[in-house]
Amino acid sequence: TTNSWYGKFHMEMHWWHAVHFILWNRPELIEQQLEYYFDIFEKAKATAKMQGYEGVRWPKMTDPSGTESPSSIGVFLIWQQPHLIYFYELMRQNEADSAFLKKFYPLIEATADFMASYARWDSLSQRYILGPALIPAQERFEPETIINPVFESAYWHWGLKTAQNIRTTLGNEPNKKWQHVIDHLSRLPVADSLYLFTENAVDSYTNPRYLTDHPIVLGITGFLPASTYIDQKILENTVNTIDSVWNWQTCWGWDFP
């Protein structure tokens, strides 16, 4: 079957199982799961090429063969793209053996190649922009107009920096394209000392529609490691505001942690 429910379940359970196996200090189980990326590599590469990008564009929702599930949302999502870098980095921290690191590094390179080519250079502002068209993890925004969703921007910055670090640690020269995106990616959008959900959602905290679904803005440090890309005071303000204004009735189980 290729229905959207199965595809969403399949990929999200794959993601959470993989993280848990590593965090439970069972890294020997993770390689069995990550083999899936090799299985769907050619399809992900073909998707990126068809859309004019380099590397591989990993799907969000699939059937077991890796074919994307029919969806008016899934094909616009990008927050799944850095997941493999996240897995790999956790494995490195768990002192995975060199054979594992060597085997999976080509997937890291292809993942980062897409990320770097997906970021759009804006010559007027001299920066890289994410979108349009995309739908962020907080699925409340129109793909035709969205610019720089905050979580995806933070994940892009962390993912490319981490991929670059992995690359050089393995003895390779830094990738100049990746570094240019890292150095010139748009800063996270801020207004009134709060992180906006997207750069053009200036009414993030007053529009009732935007105060629903996944409060993924908090994931910029709750999910990702703390970094200098994130202003901790602005984040603290954002956490306190979200806590008081969010429509928690609309949340999903994985939103709460």
Side-chain angles (χ1 to χ4, degrees):
T1 179
T2 57
N3 68 74
S4 295
W5 178 88
Y6 180 86
K8 187 177 182 68
F9 177 83
H10 180 72
M11 290 301 284
E12 290 190 356
M13 290 305 97
H14 172 75
W15 156 245
W16 286 114
H17 288 166
V19 171
H20 291 158
F21 284 150
I22 301 171
L23 297 181
W24 292 336
N25 199 27
R26 300 292 295 279
E28 69 278 5
L29 299 178
I30 187 62
E31 188 169 352
Q32 301 169 36
Q33 297 239 343
L34 297 190
E35 287 289 339
Y36 185 68
Y37 284 93
F38 287 110
D39 294 342
I40 67 173
F41 181 87
E42 291 302 326
K43 288 185 178 180
K45 183 177 180 180
T47 297
K49 183 177 181 181
M50 182 267 292
Q51 295 177 354
Y53 301 117
E54 299 175 12
V56 292
R57 181 169 189 167
W58 301 116
K60 172 59 168 64
M61 295 157 45
T62 76
D63 69 8
S65 75
T67 300
E68 288 196 80
S69 303
S71 173
S72 60
I73 293 176
V75 293
F76 287 107
L77 299 175
I78 63 170
W79 74 283
Q80 75 279 5
Q81 182 67 20
H83 284 354
L84 185 60
I85 299 172
Y86 199 112
F87 297 149
Y88 190 99
E89 183 65 5
L90 286 175
M91 290 294 288
R92 282 210 309 160
Q93 293 174 9
N94 276 270
E95 299 180 345
D97 62 49
S98 59
F100 171 91
L101 299 179
K102 182 177 180 180
K103 176 181 179 180
F104 283 93
Y105 174 71
L107 297 185
I108 298 301
E109 186 165 289
T111 299
D113 282 342
F114 171 81
M115 293 173 64
S117 66
Y118 182 85
R120 176 172 57 86
W121 177 250
D122 181 57
S123 58
L124 291 178
S125 58
Q126 294 289 293
R127 60 178 178 146
Y128 285 97
I129 292 172
L130 300 184
L134 70 89
I135 293 177
Q138 185 190 358
E139 300 170 4
R140 288 294 184 266
F141 300 92
E142 298 301 325
E144 300 88 353
T145 57
I146 190 171
I147 296 174
N148 293 328
V150 67
F151 176 75
E152 283 75 4
S153 296
Y155 207 5
W156 235 244
H157 188 266
W158 177 88
L160 282 172
K161 280 192 70 174
T162 303
Q164 189 78 290
N165 185 48
I166 291 168
R167 180 181 174 86
T168 55
T169 299
L170 293 177
N172 302 301
E173 291 294 320
N175 184 297
K176 293 181 180 179
K177 171 64 174 178
W178 300 357
Q179 194 61 48
H180 198 261
V181 178
I182 293 167
D183 293 341
H184 296 87
L185 192 64
S186 298
R187 299 298 301 176
L188 299 184
V190 175
D192 300 323
S193 297
L194 298 170
Y195 281 119
L196 298 176
F197 307 152
T198 78
E199 184 171 314
N200 52 327
V202 294
D203 55 345
S204 289
Y205 296 90
T206 57
N207 187 331
R209 173 176 169 80
Y210 296 161
L211 299 174
T212 62
D213 196 60
H214 311 308
I216 195 65
V217 60
L218 305 183
I220 61 178
T221 293
F223 176 84
L224 299 176
S227 75
T228 56
Y229 191 64
I230 312 298
D231 185 298
Q232 294 301 309
K233 181 58 180 175
I234 295 174
L235 179 63
E236 182 180 349
N237 295 339
T238 302
V239 170
N240 292 334
T241 302
I242 290 286
D243 184 51
S244 64
V245 303
W246 203 261
N247 183 351
W248 296 106
Q249 302 292 331
T250 67
C251 285
W252 296 43
W254 62 266
D255 290 323
F256 298 100

